Amino acid sequence: MWTVKVVGLGLVALSLSLEVLVWVVRRRRPKNILNEVLFFPSEITCTEAIFTPSLHSCLCTLPHGVETSFSRLLCHILSTSSSLDLCVFAFSNMDLCRAVLALHNRGVVVRILTDKDYAAITGSQIGVLRKAGICVRCGVKTVYMHHKFVVIDGRLLINGSLNWTVTAVQSNMENVLITEVPKLVQPFIKEFHRLWEQSDPSAYLRSAFHYFYSNFTFYLLLIITVCPCSFVICLPLRSGNVLTC
C-alpha cells in the first residue's frame, strides 16, 4: 500500500517538475522581435492596394502586387494603432503624407517635429498636415533639425538616412532600420520628448519675454543715451497735463 502511495507521489512530483521545466524554457526562449533593414532607392510601384486593401483592380500603368522597400515602409507606418511620433528634416512625399493623414483620421495621436526652414519650401506637406489638425512643431534652434526617425506605438523604431521626399525614396542611396529592441527604441522616445518640449511655442515665447523683461532697463538706458530726443516720459501731473522732454 505504501509502495503504491510513494510511486503515486513520485509521478505527481515528476509531472510538476516537467511543467516547471517547460515554463522555464518558454520564459528563456527569445521572443520574435522585429529587426528589418530597408535600402533605397525603391522601385516605383502602385501603392493603392496598401491604402485600400478592398480595391480589386487599379487602372494605372505602374507595376502591381510587387513588394518593395517603400511598400514595406508604408505598411509599417499604417500598422500604427495608437501613437506616431515623427521627427524628420524634409517631408514632401505625398504617399507618406497620405499615410499620416489616414492614421490621423483613424484617431491615432500624431506628433511631428520638423525643420523650420524646410517646412516652408515648395512641395512640403507640412502645411497640409497642419490644416488637417495634426500637431506640428518646428525646431527653435539655429541649427538644422536633421533627424529622420519615427516611433510607432512607443515600441517600434524606424530610423535611418531617409528623408520623407520623393527624391530620397526613388533616387537616393538611403537606408532604414526598423526594430522593436527596447534598448534601441527607448533612447529615441526620450529624445523625441526632449525635442518636443524644447520646441513648444509657448515655452519659447515665455523665454523671449523673460529675456526682454530682464534686459528692459538696459535697452531703455541705451535708447535714452543714443537718442534722448526720441524718448518721451509721461508723468501725470495734478493738472492732468503731461510732462515731456
Side-chain angles (χ1 to χ4, degrees):
M1 188 69 179
W2 283 102
T3 304
V4 174
K5 289 184 178 180
V6 170
V7 172
L9 290 174
L11 290 174
V12 171
L14 179 61
S15 176
L16 291 174
S17 299
L18 288 174
E19 288 183 10
V20 172
L21 181 62
V22 170
W23 181 80
V24 170
V25 170
R26 287 178 177 175
R27 291 281 293 180
R28 290 191 173 184
R29 183 185 299 169
K31 297 180 179 179
N32 293 326
I33 297 178
L34 174 65
N35 283 300
E36 184 177 356
V37 177
L38 304 175
F39 291 106
F40 294 82
S42 178
E43 182 184 351
I44 303 173
T45 61
C46 179
T47 58
E48 280 303 314
I50 298 174
F51 292 103
T52 314
S54 60
L55 184 68
H56 298 294
S57 63
C58 178
L59 300 179
C60 76
T61 57
L62 295 174
H64 294 78
V66 180
E67 186 176 75
T68 66
S69 292
F70 186 56
S71 68
R72 293 289 302 155
L73 177 62
L74 280 175
C75 287
H76 282 300
I77 293 169
L78 289 170
S79 71
T80 307
S81 60
S82 59
S83 66
L84 182 137
D85 292 335
L86 168 63
C87 200
V88 66
F89 178 60
F91 193 157
S92 61
N93 188 291
M94 296 182 70
D95 281 331
L96 288 169
C97 178
R98 182 180 175 184
V100 174
L101 288 173
L103 295 178
H104 176 66
N105 292 333
R106 273 168 26 195
V108 172
V109 177
V110 179
R111 299 188 297 177
I112 298 176
L113 278 167
T114 190
D115 186 79
K116 63 180 184 297
D117 294 328
Y118 273 72
I121 64 171
T122 302
S124 173
Q125 297 298 302
I126 295 301
V128 176
L129 298 170
R130 276 180 165 153
K131 287 180 181 178
I134 295 174
C135 191
V136 179
R137 291 182 181 179
C138 296
V140 296
K141 299 293 184 180
T142 55
V143 296
Y144 285 131
M145 205 303 299
H146 212 245
H147 285 306
K148 299 108 181 173
F149 70 86
V150 190
V151 177
I152 293 175
D153 296 335
R155 61 168 183 80
L156 179 67
L157 171 68
I158 300 176
N159 180 50
S161 65
L162 186 77
N163 269 311
W164 284 27
T165 65
V166 175
T167 301
V169 171
Q170 297 181 1
S171 304
N172 293 352
M173 298 292 183
E174 309 279 3
N175 68 84
V176 169
L177 172 67
I178 302 169
T179 181
E180 288 180 318
V181 177
K183 288 184 179 180
L184 297 177
V185 178
Q186 289 301 317
F188 282 88
I189 293 175
K190 292 180 180 179
E191 177 65 4
F192 186 90
H193 179 73
R194 184 185 72 83
L195 293 173
W196 187 257
E197 294 299 318
Q198 186 183 84
S199 304
D200 185 354
S202 60
Y204 178 73
L205 290 174
R206 286 196 300 270
S207 176
F209 177 78
H210 176 73
Y211 176 83
F212 175 78
Y213 182 78
S214 61
N215 292 277
F216 178 74
T217 304
F218 169 77
Y219 288 117
L220 187 63
L221 293 174
L222 181 64
I223 293 172
I224 295 173
T225 304
V226 174
C227 190
C229 295
S230 64
F231 184 74
V232 179
I233 302 177
C234 297
L235 297 175
L237 302 178
R238 290 183 180 178
S239 60
N241 297 325
V242 176
L243 177 65
T244 62
C245 67

